[in-house]
Amino acid sequence: MSLETAVRSVGAADVGPDHTLTPLPAHWRSLARALVHQVRTRPRQVAMVDSTGVSLTYGATFMRALALGRALSRELGPEPYVGVMLPPTVPAAVVNIALTLMGKIPINLNYTASQTLLNASIEQAKIARVLTSHRVLDKFKLQTKGTLLLEEMPKKVTILDKARAATIAKVVPIAALGAVLPGLRNDQLDDTATIIFTSGSTGDPKGVVLSNRNILSNIHAIDTHLHLHPSEVVLGVLPLFHSMGFTVTLWTVLCLGKTSVFHFNPLDARIIGTLCQTHKVSLLIGTPTFMRAYLSRCAPEQFATTNRVILGAEKLKPGLANEIRETLGIEPLEGYGCTELSPVVSVNVDHERTTPDGRSVPGNRIGTVGMPLPGTSVRTVDPETGDVLPRGTEGLVEVKGPQVMVGYLDRPDATAKAIRDGWYSTGDLGMLDADGFLTITDRLSRFSKIGGEMVPHLGVESAIMQAAGVDETCLAVTSLPDVKRGERLVVLYTDLHAPPDEIYQRLTAGPLPKLWIPSAEAFVQVEALPVLGTGKLDLRQLRQIARERLDA
């Protein structure tokens, strides 16, 4: 059975006509080729705009990428991997396209990470050149080897480069493009499309190798699952070093002929509100943290054309969901994914879906992250034994499908540990209900072993928030080593509306097991919780702050 069709297995959630993924379009052999077909189909349609005022049609995007690619070919060496350290903007998108058309593999690097983590990523991929800008280097106080500055590239693009680009874009037939563009020369689905490094929130970053098949299958499944509109306009604020930014707000848009609206800072709420209103954004993809900022600083009418809000990376709290409904008149949709899964696994939708036994049900089930995408199998297994668990039983979430990564870069040991018999172990705990909707309950790594018992951080966080009478995310639980009990819990918080002793007393009077209750001295107030550039909680920094504050 081909990877483009549904993967069948016992306990999987992809049973029924709604869950079969049709074969990829015949011309989708690579991201480059899928883009070229859109360029030739809709050359005058706007492909991308950004907050600096730049707006490019599909035809103009292609020509700029061709001209830039020609200039870059004179600057770059033979190495296949090229680092890109640019925020989500039109130039960043053009750079990624140019490298892809050249047959190079763009690796978007995390400019919000520490110098140490950035260096680790560059060394692992043996990157010789990094394309970035003065602004990025100055703002984030970073250094890269083999730096190639974007500001210097325009003067390196010659008149001949532009003329050649125009000729290729308008005259050369698609079938003959492989003769002049390495990215379309013998392009295959299993060729590497990119490498995305994990955030390093719990350890050193690992390079996730994603093929054209991985990303194109995910794009095809997203389109089938969400029923994207022909004239969809997508907000592109997620960084391109994040798999959601790379796959969805960049390549899904380009391969399906939609429009992206880019802005470099996802928390610039006022600018983003203006962009949504000006460019009539219809699909907003982000995190609850980002959405909370938009609601507090933007006028509701700025989202008048936005008909879908898809949120992920962190749990959507009921209070925020209600505020979105009441303020914008939109039912927020939660989704779930992992870098290693290209990234989308499941998402709620605003139309009916078919259950495994053939019944039609509303596609949005509040509290879940939706049904798996077509062609995606999901199951839960016992974390200790690996035994497949029945529906409704919490266990370790495993995923199988064409979006499962090729593997970790030069890490066969880590790859073998993460993928067994085609099933990728997400490290998340969750359960599938009878209709196939997935609920994520916690991250396996967000547990502490205290006195021999596994204590879930998410469960402790929920109990503290309930005891404090708060709904929004204002705290996070981490752990530090403890001589007597193995580990001890530490709570970092911004504002609990009550002193820690009082919260502690409320917890001890409640149903929470005593072993799970952090001491009053373990509550540490901070100005803000540390988050990664993707909007996820920075678990490594969280633990570091706890260690420094409690040691002091």
Side-chain angles (χ1 to χ4, degrees), residues 264-285:
F264 53 84
N265 185 348
L267 290 173
D268 277 344
R270 290 188 175 87
I271 294 175
I272 288 166
T274 300
L275 287 172
C276 288
Q277 186 172 30
T278 302
H279 299 289
K280 297 180 171 55
V281 166
S282 58
L283 176 58
L284 191 158
I285 301 171

Side-chain angles (χ1 to χ4, degrees), residues 530-550:
V531 294
L532 300 163
T534 59
K536 289 184 178 180
L537 196 64
D538 189 335
L539 302 180
R540 172 183 283 194
Q541 185 65 15
L542 195 72
R543 190 171 291 111
Q544 181 63 27
I545 293 172
R547 183 180 296 113
E548 291 173 356
R549 294 287 293 274
L550 290 183

Side-chain angles (χ1 to χ4, degrees), residues 253-470:
V253 170
L254 293 173
C255 293
L256 297 177
K258 315 302 181 186
T259 302
S260 275
V261 179
F262 292 115
H263 182 60
F264 53 84
N265 185 348
L267 290 173
D268 277 344
R270 290 188 175 87
I271 294 175
I272 288 166
T274 300
L275 287 172
C276 288
Q277 186 172 30
T278 302
H279 299 289
K280 297 180 171 55
V281 166
S282 58
L283 176 58
L284 191 158
I285 301 171
T287 70
T289 296
F290 299 160
M291 198 64 208
R292 189 176 290 108
Y294 306 156
L295 289 176
S296 64
R297 299 174 196 164
C298 301
E301 56 267 23
Q302 292 181 302
F303 299 98
T305 60
T306 304
N307 48 51
R308 282 188 285 193
V309 172
I310 298 177
L311 304 175
E314 57 182 286
K315 186 68 176 174
L316 175 62
K317 299 293 190 298
L320 177 59
N322 286 332
E323 190 176 353
I324 295 171
R325 292 184 196 103
E326 293 169 3
T327 306
L328 303 182
I330 299 172
E331 182 65 44
L333 305 170
E334 276 196 270
Y336 170 70
C338 305
T339 302
E340 290 86 346
L341 297 171
S342 306
V344 185
V345 173
S346 64
V347 64
N348 281 291
V349 295
D350 55 357
H351 51 266
E352 288 199 338
R353 295 288 292 164
T354 304
T355 64
D357 59 4
R359 292 177 295 107
S360 289
V361 297
N364 182 27
R365 185 159 293 176
I366 295 171
T368 76
V369 290
M371 283 186 177
L373 297 188
T376 301
S377 297
V378 175
R379 70 183 185 185
T380 59
V381 301
D382 186 291
E384 299 292 332
T385 66
D387 293 339
V388 178
L389 299 172
R391 292 288 179 89
T393 306
E394 182 186 69
L396 183 60
V397 176
E398 294 189 337
V399 178
K400 191 174 189 179
Q403 73 268 56
V404 175
M405 67 173 178
V406 175
Y408 292 117
L409 179 65
D410 296 332
R411 292 286 304 275
D413 55 335
T415 302
K417 186 177 179 181
I419 305 173
R420 296 180 182 178
D421 298 325
W423 289 95
Y424 170 71
S425 178
T426 64
D428 291 322
L429 295 177
M431 66 180 72
L432 289 160
D433 68 18
D435 293 332
F437 286 83
L438 175 64
T439 299
I440 300 298
T441 55
D442 210 336
R443 178 79 184 166
L444 192 62
S445 62
R446 294 206 64 212
F447 274 71
S448 293
K449 198 163 189 177
I450 301 176
E453 182 177 337
M454 296 298 286
V455 178
H457 293 182
L458 186 62
V460 176
E461 288 170 359
S462 297
I464 295 172
M465 291 174 68
Q466 186 175 357
V470 295

Side-chain angles (χ1 to χ4, degrees), residues 140 195 206 365 441:
F140 297 100
I195 295 172
K206 295 189 288 289
R365 185 159 293 176
T441 55

Side-chain angles (χ1 to χ4, degrees), residues 87 102 126 135 142 175 190 265 385 506-507 521 538:
M102 287 171 57
K126 300 179 177 62
R135 287 187 176 183
L142 296 170
D190 292 320
N265 185 348
T385 66
R506 294 177 191 174
L507 290 171
E521 293 76 21
D538 189 335

